[in-house]
Amino acid sequence: MTPDALLGQFDQELFAFLHREQPRSETFRRMVSDHMAWRSWDDGEPATANARGKRVRPLLALLTARAIVGDHRRAIPAAIAVQLVHDFSIILDDIMDRDRTRRNRPALWVSYGTGHAMTAAAGIYVVGLDALQDYLDGTWPDVQARDLSRTLLDSCLEMADSQHIDLDWEKRLDMTLDQVREVALGRSCLIRCGVELAAAVSTPDREVRLAFREFGALVATAFSVIDDFRGLWGSEERNGKPLRSDLRRHKKTYPIVVGHQRSAPAGRSRLQALLTGPEPGDTEIAAIMELLDEADAATATLREVARLSAQAVELLRRPPLARFAVSELIELTESLFGGLAGSSPALSQGGLTT
């Protein structure tokens, strides 16, 4: 089964699961349909082409289970849980950042108001947690649903911690690259969580599960960093939201911090002033981008993504993971991040939406 076919089955399972939950509010049903880009609540077909994003989190989970036991179906409840908690997080993220578009569609808070959007996010979060309860139905008696819930909740707390740090950094520019990597992982830790959950429902071998967790962490960090890159040098159409909005909110992403560190003293002082003072306008944004280009921040960022993704692939190729059918995971990882090191920004816009 191809990745597209896997995601097609996943979409059907997600549609069926959400309808099984039977939400009573017509507004909630309509908002879920809009967010999922369905034609309607009763029709799970996509409203427009490519409206759903790449669904990297569930796809990695399904491929992990298939690599270990040859059966991706074991990971479907975990993949649903991770995708729905991710949906919860991006609805809130759009509200906090005042981003008006998501996947080239109006953000929920724009269409329905902040109150409805926050309530819908909370509902989706609860439903996402409930997906893991499917492991209690006796189909997989060796799986501990309580441990799965703990893993997912720990990731939710990690996301919250990263969001707090991200906000705290808006008036600072003294963080290290290691700190930036840690926050980048936290923002995308549901990628690691999906892989970890899929491994947990597929094998009792703790060494294998920890190795897959490490693989997921590397992919998650690389994913977050390349997302930051595309937020500065990418395409608004492909990103599905405005370009360089992070700069206006003084976000300290990997390209910003590495550019600051690589700048000459005068450029470093200028970036410090522009990125910790009042909200920059178009003139200030252009000045920031010029300083980042002078520091070759784009190339440095792409090299970091290449380093992380190479480590992830290497981990799959050595014990204890080498004995599993990991070729699809290697192929996916290389397709997500391959060939980026040394590329110009103009050549590095393809790939992912969240």
Side-chain angles (χ1 to χ4, degrees), residues 99-139:
D99 283 337
R100 301 186 64 84
T101 57
R102 169 68 62 174
R103 300 167 183 157
N104 295 312
R105 296 162 58 88
L108 280 192
W109 72 269
V110 173
S111 297
Y112 295 91
T114 300
H116 273 306
M118 291 176 67
T119 304
I124 290 171
Y125 174 76
V126 172
V127 171
L129 295 181
D130 191 46
L132 293 180
Q133 301 310 302
D134 281 8
Y135 289 108
L136 294 175
D137 68 1
T139 304

Side-chain angles (χ1 to χ4, degrees), residues 149-179:
S149 296
R150 184 71 261 167
T151 297
L152 181 56
L153 290 172
D154 284 346
S155 293
C156 292
L157 290 173
E158 186 175 349
M159 279 197 302
D161 284 342
S162 295
Q163 187 68 264
H164 283 301
I165 295 170
D166 213 21
L167 292 169
D168 290 340
W169 282 355
E170 289 183 1
K171 298 298 182 183
R172 295 173 46 198
L173 196 46
D174 59 351
M175 58 290 301
T176 68
L177 287 178
D178 281 342
Q179 289 173 317

Side-chain angles (χ1 to χ4, degrees), residues 56-57 60-61 82 185 188-196 215-217 219-221 223-224 337:
V56 171
R57 292 156 187 82
L60 280 166
V82 168
L185 170 58
S188 295
C189 66
L190 288 173
I191 290 177
R192 183 199 62 210
C193 182
V195 172
E196 186 176 5
F215 162 76
V219 173
T221 308
F223 185 95
S224 193
F337 309 115

Side-chain angles (χ1 to χ4, degrees), residues 228-243:
D228 292 337
F229 171 90
R230 290 186 173 122
L232 296 178
W233 292 284
S235 157
E236 283 196 14
E237 181 180 2
R238 188 172 293 277
N239 292 348
K241 57 184 181 181
L243 202 61

Side-chain angles (χ1 to χ4, degrees), residues 139-339:
T139 304
W140 297 285
D142 56 325
V143 173
Q144 299 295 317
R146 179 183 176 87
D147 291 341
L148 302 182
S149 296
R150 184 71 261 167
T151 297
L152 181 56
L153 290 172
D154 284 346
S155 293
C156 292
L157 290 173
E158 186 175 349
M159 279 197 302
D161 284 342
S162 295
Q163 187 68 264
H164 283 301
I165 295 170
D166 213 21
L167 292 169
D168 290 340
W169 282 355
E170 289 183 1
K171 298 298 182 183
R172 295 173 46 198
L173 196 46
D174 59 351
M175 58 290 301
T176 68
L177 287 178
D178 281 342
Q179 289 173 317
V180 175
R181 291 185 190 98
E182 185 176 353
V183 170
L185 170 58
R187 291 203 312 265
S188 295
C189 66
L190 288 173
I191 290 177
R192 183 199 62 210
C193 182
V195 172
E196 186 176 5
L197 290 174
V201 302
S202 301
T203 177
D205 189 322
R206 181 168 176 78
E207 183 185 14
V208 169
R209 289 159 63 166
L210 288 174
F212 270 111
R213 174 184 166 88
E214 184 181 353
F215 162 76
L218 289 164
V219 173
T221 308
F223 185 95
S224 193
V225 173
I226 196 61
D227 190 54
D228 292 337
F229 171 90
R230 290 186 173 122
L232 296 178
W233 292 284
S235 157
E236 283 196 14
E237 181 180 2
R238 188 172 293 277
N239 292 348
K241 57 184 181 181
L243 202 61
R244 296 166 190 160
S245 58
D246 283 350
L247 294 182
R248 298 187 189 277
R249 297 189 302 273
H250 292 158
K251 299 295 184 184
K252 304 308 187 302
T253 60
Y254 190 93
I256 298 296
V257 177
V258 76
H260 178 256
Q261 293 186 0
R262 289 166 60 94
S263 292
R268 194 175 303 132
S269 297
R270 179 63 173 149
L271 276 172
Q272 176 82 27
L274 288 168
L275 290 165
T276 59
E279 181 177 313
D282 292 343
T283 300
E284 290 78 16
I285 294 292
I288 293 169
M289 292 304 299
E290 183 177 349
L291 289 165
L292 292 178
D293 289 341
E294 289 175 1
D296 205 8
T299 299
T301 302
L302 292 176
R303 285 175 177 161
E304 174 65 9
V305 173
R307 183 185 72 83
L308 292 166
S309 60
Q311 286 184 3
V313 170
E314 176 60 26
L315 194 62
L316 292 172
R317 287 176 168 155
R318 68 171 190 250
L321 302 187
R323 72 176 186 265
F324 298 110
V326 296
S327 59
E328 290 177 319
L329 283 170
I330 291 174
E331 183 178 348
L332 177 59
T333 303
E334 291 179 339
S335 71
L336 294 179
F337 309 115

